[in-house]
Amino acid sequence: MSSILVVGSVAFDSVKTPFGQADEILGGAATYFSVAASYFSPVRVVAVVGSDFGDQYVDVFRKHKIDTEGLARTAGKTFRWKGEYGYDLNEARTLDTQLNVFETFDPVIPESYRSSEYVFLANIDPELQLGVLKQISNPRIVACDTMNFWIKGKIESVKQTIKHVDILIINDAETRMLANESNLIRAANKVLAMGPKTLIVKRGEYGVLMFSGKSIFGAPAFPLEDVFDPTGAGDSFAGGFIGALAQAGDVSERVFRRAIIYGSVMASFNVEQFSLNRLTDLKRDEIDQRFKQFKHLTHFEEY
Amino acid sequence: MSSILVVGSVAFDSVKTPFGQADEILGGAATYFSVAASYFSPVRVVAVVGSDFGDQYVDVFRKHKIDTEGLARTAGKTFRWKGEYGYDLNEARTLDTQLNVFETFDPVIPESYRSSEYVFLANIDPELQLGVLKQISNPRIVACDTMNFWIKGKIESVKQTIKHVDILIINDAETRMLANESNLIRAANKVLAMGPKTLIVKRGEYGVLMFSGKSIFGAPAFPLEDVFDPTGAGDSFAGGFIGALAQAGDVSERVFRRAIIYGSVMASFNVEQFSLNRLTDLKRDEIDQRFKQFKHLTHFEEY
């Protein structure tokens, strides 16, 4: 069980979906990632919060034995995001973003974190992502996320960063935008040529495609009757995926494929409730049970 | 190897995609279905064409040993459809529809077809679909397709028809519309409660979900670098699916799941070229080779 380092946002979200709304609930990419990953391997978090980030929120991390030495507290307010979803839950409409203390976030990796073997760079400025990598010694796997905002605004920095990562985890629109190519398979091959050995394309309710070399692995999303709030699904996926990789301690295709399913399992639990309400309440055997359901969902025989 | 009966349209299509265009090429749901199914089991077609339907088009059916006794030729012009696709190849924009001889199509099932064991009712007026069923004696499996036009305009007839079918094959938007429910899984369960034992939901580039009882099977679409023309993909899928069922002569879940993959294989070949150019040119071992690639695409191990 190797240690995982995640660098990204911790936030308070206000979310409205067709099924309800909640104000100022715990969120942020690093939060979803670290709680999801914590079911598989020890996690260390680097993020910044404001003076309004009460102990009850730090306790969420502590409950999952997540190392919070790198959770910096600064004068000012915690990052806030406000968004809503329509009945088509695939895309959020951002209503308001207040960066607050996140605006000047310049991640400093604590000495004790620098030998982390698995590193996840959540969606932040690609220059900061590159700055993190300079502080890490000899990681085994570096994975990263990014978004349309950086691909549009800082394409050269994005390209510079992904040259140095093993696994890029983005959605289908971002893949097409990054490659400037409408066919997803061609786009994926162009992205692989930019550096990452593996590209994971998240497709929301349609599941995931993983591209590595000439191999492609496809997994559907878990079919749910109640998708309550999709916020954090992508980061929960990444947490389950990297967590399962770190727990296996092996980088074979067999292990990568199983990790994709564990990521999909964690994302499916996350969307069942607001905030981390479901993710913080899981038992390991519920996770393994849903993994088996994924096997049933996708299995067919040749003869 | 049981015989398959298909009732539906034979047409001349004019299609424009970002990659090229073609005018007055052979198309129609019954055409795509029957050629795809012919690789697996003998097929009988019931459709109507005009006096402009030359022998070279009938030869396409004959080449695949498709029984054309039910292919009625009437004075007038063959059904014509004109459409175009953008870079997002998921949906066609219809530019023109000329029903011509199809407008008064009232399918008469030849005596020699009436004991067909497998029946596919392609997308036509649900009242005509019901009329076909009254002419068939004791089929083993009846599958049918329909579309938003009939769900909006003739919902009671659609419901009446699907009460009598074993398998309904429609897309995700049609499933949501028929059930009046935005969540696809809930919508699927509502549709199953209307009569069909199995619902197959086509999701274009995202693959297929099959619902039967409490079991769900999900398969991605085959990842293609060149999707040239998606016209006929759904009917090629249905042809491969029903063809594989008829060839197996068995209605177990295991056989249904394999048939879903064969349907996906046939759809993936079809979209590689205009019209039936690719479908009419296949070898059975190419089909089985792509089936194996589907296994590689989706396979993961539990331990």
Side-chain angles (χ1 to χ4, degrees):
Chain A
M1 297 229 285
S2 313
S3 271
I4 301 166
L5 165 64
V6 54
V7 182
S9 62
V10 171
F12 288 127
D13 293 338
S14 295
V15 181
K16 193 174 170 183
T17 81
F19 315 109
Q21 74 177 81
D23 290 326
E24 307 245 321
I25 51 179
L26 182 61
T31 316
Y32 284 106
F33 177 93
S34 55
V35 172
S38 72
Y39 286 92
F40 302 90
S41 250
V43 181
R44 299 151 168 176
V45 64
V46 170
V48 63
V49 294
S51 44
D52 55 355
F53 199 78
D55 279 347
Q56 72 272 36
Y57 299 112
V58 181
D59 286 345
V60 173
F61 292 88
R62 289 198 188 119
K63 180 185 166 194
H64 292 274
K65 300 192 170 52
I66 296 158
D67 188 331
T68 56
E69 187 190 338
L71 188 67
R73 194 186 292 256
T74 316
K77 292 176 77 179
T78 300
F79 177 29
R80 273 162 173 78
W81 177 79
K82 188 173 183 173
E84 68 175 6
Y85 299 84
Y87 277 100
D88 169 3
L89 291 157
N90 282 317
E91 203 160 2
R93 196 161 70 90
T94 292
L95 301 173
D96 191 28
T97 302
Q98 293 173 21
L99 292 175
N100 300 328
V101 298
F102 195 62
E103 190 156 10
T104 53
F105 181 47
D106 191 359
V108 177
I109 311 303
E111 188 58 42
S112 67
Y113 286 15
R114 297 192 177 193
S115 58
S116 300
E117 289 182 79
Y118 292 78
V119 177
F120 181 65
L121 306 168
N123 169 36
I124 56 173
D125 186 324
E127 292 170 22
L128 297 181
Q129 291 178 321
L130 206 53
V132 169
L133 292 185
K134 288 182 180 147
Q135 300 175 60
I136 306 295
S137 56
N138 205 23
R140 188 164 186 186
I141 292 276
V142 175
C144 99
D145 185 10
T146 189
M147 73 184 289
N148 51 7
F149 180 77
W150 307 118
I151 296 170
K152 216 176 283 177
K154 291 196 172 185
I155 181 68
E156 287 314 317
S157 299
V158 169
K159 287 186 175 173
Q160 198 54 38
T161 300
I162 67 176
K163 255 188 212 167
H164 299 279
V165 311
D166 301 288
I167 307 171
L168 181 64
I169 306 178
I170 53 181
N171 71 30
D172 41 1
E174 290 155 358
T175 305
R176 292 183 166 104
M177 187 188 275
L178 183 54
N180 192 25
E181 161 65 50
S182 64
N183 177 282
L184 187 65
I185 317 306
R186 285 175 182 269
N189 288 330
K190 280 176 118 176
V191 170
L192 287 181
M194 294 176 186
K197 287 186 280 295
T198 300
L199 168 67
I200 295 171
V201 179
K202 298 174 286 184
R203 303 201 285 180
E205 66 169 311
Y206 303 113
V208 176
L209 288 175
M210 175 170 70
F211 299 83
S212 33
K214 288 195 181 303
S215 170
I216 308 180
F217 175 58
F222 192 72
L224 287 170
E225 289 203 18
D226 292 288
V227 178
F228 195 78
D229 173 15
T231 310
D235 295 301
S236 304
F237 168 84
F241 173 72
I242 300 290
L245 284 190
Q247 185 175 38
D250 173 335
V251 295
S252 65
E253 167 116 10
R254 193 178 62 85
V255 162
F256 267 59
R257 288 179 172 222
R258 284 185 60 210
I260 289 281
I261 302 300
Y262 276 117
S264 305
V265 165
M266 299 312 285
S268 75
F269 280 121
N270 177 61
V271 302
E272 290 180 357
Q273 291 185 25
F274 272 135
S275 187
L276 293 104
N277 294 350
R278 186 71 179 104
L279 275 195
T280 52
D281 194 35
L282 280 170
K283 288 177 186 60
R284 180 61 202 239
D285 65 349
E286 291 178 294
I287 295 170
D288 290 324
Q289 184 58 32
R290 189 160 286 184
F291 185 100
K292 277 187 210 301
Q293 291 175 306
F294 259 99
K295 190 73 196 176
H296 181 74
L297 173 67
T298 59
H299 181 70
F300 65 91
E301 288 162 38
E302 285 188 59
Y303 300 103
Chain B
M1 295 227 287
S2 315
S3 271
I4 301 166
L5 164 64
V6 55
V7 181
S9 63
V10 171
F12 289 127
D13 294 337
S14 295
V15 181
K16 192 172 169 185
T17 80
F19 315 109
Q21 72 178 84
D23 290 325
E24 306 244 321
I25 51 178
L26 183 60
T31 317
Y32 284 106
F33 177 94
S34 56
V35 173
S38 73
Y39 286 92
F40 302 89
S41 251
V43 181
R44 299 151 168 178
V45 64
V46 170
V48 63
V49 296
S51 46
D52 55 354
F53 198 79
D55 279 348
Q56 72 271 37
Y57 299 112
V58 182
D59 285 346
V60 173
F61 292 88
R62 290 199 187 116
K63 180 185 164 194
H64 292 274
K65 303 189 169 53
I66 296 159
D67 188 331
T68 56
E69 187 189 339
L71 188 68
R73 195 187 292 255
T74 316
K77 292 177 77 180
T78 300
F79 177 29
R80 273 160 172 79
W81 176 79
K82 188 172 182 174
E84 70 175 3
Y85 299 85
Y87 277 100
D88 169 3
L89 292 158
N90 282 317
E91 204 160 0
R93 196 160 72 89
T94 292
L95 301 174
D96 191 27
T97 302
Q98 293 173 22
L99 291 174
N100 300 329
V101 297
F102 195 61
E103 191 157 9
T104 52
F105 181 46
D106 190 359
V108 176
I109 312 303
E111 188 58 42
S112 66
Y113 286 15
R114 295 190 179 197
S115 58
S116 300
E117 289 183 77
Y118 292 78
V119 177
F120 181 65
L121 306 168
N123 170 36
I124 56 173
D125 186 325
E127 291 169 22
L128 297 181
Q129 291 178 323
L130 206 54
V132 169
L133 292 186
K134 287 180 181 149
Q135 300 175 60
I136 305 296
S137 57
N138 205 22
R140 188 163 186 187
I141 292 275
V142 175
C144 98
D145 185 10
T146 188
M147 72 183 293
N148 51 6
F149 180 77
W150 305 118
I151 296 170
K152 217 177 284 178
K154 291 198 174 187
I155 180 68
E156 287 314 316
S157 300
V158 169
K159 286 186 177 174
Q160 199 53 38
T161 301
I162 66 175
K163 255 188 213 170
H164 299 279
V165 311
D166 302 288
I167 307 171
L168 180 64
I169 308 179
I170 54 180
N171 72 28
D172 41 359
E174 290 154 0
T175 304
R176 291 185 169 103
M177 188 188 276
L178 183 54
N180 192 24
E181 161 65 51
S182 65
N183 176 282
L184 186 65
I185 316 306
R186 284 174 182 271
N189 288 330
K190 280 175 118 178
V191 171
L192 287 182
M194 295 176 187
K197 288 186 280 295
T198 300
L199 168 67
I200 295 172
V201 180
K202 300 174 285 183
R203 305 200 285 179
E205 68 168 310
Y206 303 113
V208 176
L209 287 175
M210 174 171 69
F211 299 83
S212 34
K214 288 195 180 306
S215 170
I216 308 179
F217 175 58
F222 193 72
L224 288 170
E225 290 202 16
D226 293 287
V227 178
F228 194 78
D229 173 16
T231 309
D235 296 302
S236 304
F237 168 83
F241 173 72
I242 300 291
L245 284 190
Q247 186 175 36
D250 171 337
V251 295
S252 65
E253 167 116 11
R254 193 179 62 86
V255 163
F256 267 58
R257 288 180 173 223
R258 286 185 59 210
I260 289 281
I261 302 300
Y262 275 117
S264 306
V265 164
M266 299 312 285
S268 76
F269 281 121
N270 177 61
V271 302
E272 290 179 358
Q273 290 184 28
F274 272 133
S275 187
L276 292 105
N277 294 351
R278 186 71 180 104
L279 275 195
T280 51
D281 193 35
L282 279 170
K283 286 176 186 63
R284 179 63 201 237
D285 66 349
E286 291 178 295
I287 294 170
D288 291 323
Q289 183 60 32
R290 189 160 288 184
F291 185 101
K292 277 187 208 302
Q293 291 175 308
F294 259 99
K295 189 74 195 174
H296 180 74
L297 172 66
T298 59
H299 181 70
F300 64 90
E301 289 164 37
E302 287 189 57
Y303 300 102

